[in-house]
Amino acid sequence: MTMKPFSYLPIMMRTDQRDALLIGGGQVAVQKMRLLKGRCRRLHIWAESMHPELEALIAQGQAVFRQGRVEEQALREILPEMAVVFAATDDEAVNEMVSRQAHALRVPVCVVDNQELSSFITPALVDRSPVQVAITTGGASPVLARRVRQMVEAMLPARVGEAARFMQQQRGWLKARLPHVKQRQRVWESFVDGPAYEAALAGEEASARHQLEQLVEAAEGVATRPQGEVWLVGAGPGNPDWLTLAALRLMQNADSVLYDNLVAPEVLDRVRRDAERVYVGKKRSHHTLPQRDIESELLRRAQRGERVLRLKGGDPFVFGRGGEEMESLLAAHVPVRVVPGITAANGCAVAAGIPLTHRDCAQSCIMVTGHARADGTLNLHWPSLACKGQTVVIYMGLSSIGELCQQMQGHGLPAHWPVAVIYRGSCPDQRCVKGTLGTITALVQQQGLESPVLIIVGEVVHHRGAVEPPAASSESTSKERA
């Protein structure tokens, strides 16, 4: 029976005005002491014997020592004074007693390496005080949490804490100069994204302050309502790890985001939490907002000063109507920034292990949309598509896959010509169905595939490698093999 995972709320608890209790005197207790040291008003250590590092701490007057075995009545008396308590002994009976009393008195307790007895766990910590990054797997894999910590350690500048302290010192006068929250927010974002931040990191506070004042003066020179703009950003095929660095930065800076059906929930989770999210539909034959209304909404929000993120599946300029939205906005003199994304043709093909070109069989690749007319017919140039020596990638073609296969056969390709249909390529539930022009329609129906899918036609399908989709689950892999 699989145990239901524990659920944790990630918070940062203030402890500088409260005491903390550490029970245990061995190496594990030393590790928790290092976490608590300097973060609580007074550290109490209760143990029968003492590690030399703990002894040194007590000798320096930085901790209070209580020697002897933990007694239940004495513990009940001291616990209400504590912000937190750590049980780090090798005596299970003592650990259970500490947990029981702490829970009864509603004092947060961590019994090291025992989630059942703990009301909280400690994360892997990257400490650049006051900047702290806490990493946890909910107790599932402390080793993985430490590995992620190493990656974060490598990314964060060593002096990011000093830069944060400098920024904190400027908040008072900056608020007086710029009373509007959005103005201050944009100044700080310009600060962090520019040379002023680099000066603060280098400890050049005079230079950083001068450049910050220039940013404030520039903000004071504009109207109270800041200039809005629109960012057309490609969200890729669905895997959030495939977002570009530029996309991630804008997703964290946007005031609002307009997104459609092709944007995976895992990608949308990367958008800053307080940004307003507006779903605009874009499912086949069912648009929550018509395209003109989407363009009007982008324009309306930008004109009232918002930084609007138009998040599109794949690439905004590949069957994403990004060109139309850009033209509409530029005609109204609204600044537009475009960030490309991995389009579905590249992303889904790579995730499924299918090369789009191959020296032996495909020297070119054609991308087309499979949207049918109102009467159900496709307006495609079949003679140019039904050719050997190339790969044809069809977007949004599931509903018309039968006619696609018939037309390609009718214009010269054999019934045994290979075809692959990829569902949610690059996502954990990715599925790939292989067949031919003569069999793929029935196979897709048998497998119950739904949109979104991508169709790849050509001999490159025969060269499919044994590539598993990123973060693929065992369930999706088994379906794919089917």
Side-chain angles (χ1 to χ4, degrees):
M1 181 178 177
T2 303
M3 185 179 70
K4 182 179 179 181
F6 295 97
S7 179
Y8 294 96
L9 174 68
I11 61 173
M12 303 298 281
M13 179 188 297
R14 182 176 179 182
T15 55
D16 62 319
Q17 296 179 335
R18 299 283 305 280
D19 290 5
L21 175 60
L22 173 60
I23 297 176
Q27 183 60 49
V28 175
V30 169
Q31 296 172 5
K32 299 308 176 186
M33 176 275 290
R34 293 170 182 166
L35 176 66
L36 292 167
K37 181 181 176 182
R39 290 188 168 90
C40 57
R41 181 177 60 185
R42 185 183 299 107
L43 176 59
H44 298 253
I45 303 175
W46 194 342
E48 295 185 57
S49 59
M50 191 70 60
H51 187 282
E53 191 169 337
L54 297 177
E55 289 180 344
L57 189 75
I58 293 167
Q60 296 165 7
Q62 299 185 47
V64 177
F65 179 49
R66 182 164 186 164
Q67 189 170 19
R69 186 172 179 81
V70 179
E71 299 174 355
E72 192 163 357
Q73 180 58 38
L75 180 65
R76 280 199 299 268
E77 293 174 359
I78 193 176
L79 272 177
E81 303 172 17
M82 301 299 152
V84 295
V85 56
F86 283 87
T89 79
D90 55 6
D91 189 326
E92 292 185 6
V94 170
N95 290 340
E96 290 176 2
M97 183 262 288
V98 172
S99 173
R100 183 175 64 255
Q101 292 299 331
H103 277 92
L105 295 168
R106 297 185 178 180
V107 177
V109 58
C110 175
V111 178
V112 179
D113 290 333
N114 193 323
Q115 289 180 267
E116 290 282 356
L117 298 180
S118 302
S119 60
F120 74 94
I121 58 176
T122 54
L125 185 64
V126 178
D127 191 357
R128 302 280 197 278
S129 294
V131 177
Q132 298 183 77
V133 181
I135 301 145
T136 179
T137 61
S141 177
V143 171
L144 177 59
R146 289 199 296 270
R147 290 293 180 267
V148 175
R149 172 193 170 188
Q150 291 172 0
M151 290 186 281
V152 176
E153 287 272 16
M155 293 170 57
L156 278 182
R159 293 180 57 89
V160 68
E162 284 84 346
R165 276 191 286 271
F166 169 82
M167 295 172 70
Q168 184 179 33
Q169 293 166 2
Q170 317 307 314
R171 293 181 63 181
W173 71 265
L174 185 59
K175 185 175 182 179
R177 289 274 295 271
L178 298 176
H180 297 281
V181 174
K182 284 187 179 295
Q183 282 185 311
R184 294 199 303 273
Q185 181 177 320
R186 294 194 180 185
V187 165
W188 280 126
E189 287 169 352
S190 298
F191 177 90
V192 171
D193 291 337
Y197 176 66
E198 297 298 328
L201 284 177
E204 300 169 359
E205 294 192 2
S207 175
R209 170 67 184 243
H210 175 68
Q211 294 182 66
L212 177 59
E213 288 175 346
Q214 289 183 321
L215 292 173
V216 172
E217 290 171 2
E220 289 174 328
V222 301
T224 301
R225 177 175 292 173
Q227 170 68 55
E229 59 182 316
V230 175
W231 305 328
L232 305 178
V233 175
N239 190 317
D241 289 341
W242 291 9
L243 289 165
T244 66
L245 294 176
L248 284 169
R249 186 175 67 252
L250 295 182
M251 289 165 72
Q252 286 298 305
N253 288 341
D255 298 314
S256 59
V257 52
L258 276 64
Y259 67 99
D260 55 45
N261 182 56
L262 294 178
V263 177
E266 298 83 2
V267 171
L268 199 61
D269 285 343
R270 304 294 177 95
V271 175
R272 70 189 252 192
R273 291 183 182 179
D274 59 342
E276 182 182 358
R277 301 182 183 188
V278 182
Y279 177 63
V280 295
K282 291 293 188 180
K283 289 184 179 180
R284 184 178 67 87
S285 303
H286 179 75
H287 290 185
T288 299
L289 284 180
Q291 182 62 32
R292 286 188 178 180
D293 290 350
I294 293 174
E295 294 170 10
S296 297
E297 183 66 9
L298 292 171
L299 179 61
R300 182 183 70 84
R301 289 176 174 273
Q303 288 179 334
R304 71 181 188 188
E306 293 184 25
R307 294 161 301 178
V308 189
L309 174 70
R310 178 66 172 105
L311 197 58
K312 294 173 170 288
D315 182 277
F317 279 6
V318 180
F319 303 125
R321 306 188 75 168
E324 299 171 42
E325 293 172 1
M326 180 183 68
E327 291 174 346
S328 173
L329 293 163
L330 291 178
H333 307 290
V334 171
V336 179
R337 192 184 313 184
V338 183
V339 175
I342 298 176
T343 187
N346 296 106
C348 295
V350 167
I354 300 173
L356 290 179
T357 62
H358 196 287
R359 184 175 60 177
D360 295 339
C361 60
Q363 289 74 48
S364 62
C365 177
I366 299 176
M367 294 182 289
V368 297
T369 176
H371 265 318
R373 292 175 170 176
D375 60 4
T377 61
L378 290 172
N379 184 25
L380 297 173
H381 190 260
W382 299 109
S384 65
L385 299 181
C387 297
K388 298 181 179 181
Q390 67 181 16
T391 303
V392 179
V393 180
I394 301 104
Y395 290 66
M396 300 166 284
L398 182 62
S399 63
S400 54
I401 190 169
E403 184 182 356
L404 281 165
C405 294
Q406 291 177 7
Q407 291 284 3
M408 286 196 168
Q409 291 179 75
H411 285 80
L413 289 179
H416 65 265
W417 200 247
V419 181
V421 179
I422 306 166
Y423 167 76
R424 282 178 55 82
S426 83
C427 297
D429 56 346
Q430 169 183 306
R431 295 169 65 185
C432 180
V433 177
K434 289 174 58 178
T436 66
L437 289 175
T439 64
I440 194 65
T441 302
L443 288 173
V444 165
Q445 292 175 349
Q446 292 171 11
Q447 293 286 330
L449 292 191
E450 300 177 347
S451 295
V453 303
L454 190 84
I455 303 171
I456 300 179
V457 180
E459 291 182 302
V460 290
V461 174
H462 287 322
H463 293 273
R464 184 186 181 205
V467 176
E468 290 191 2
S473 65
S474 57
E475 179 184 7
S476 63
T477 303
S478 64
K479 288 179 179 178
E480 188 180 19
R481 288 170 180 164

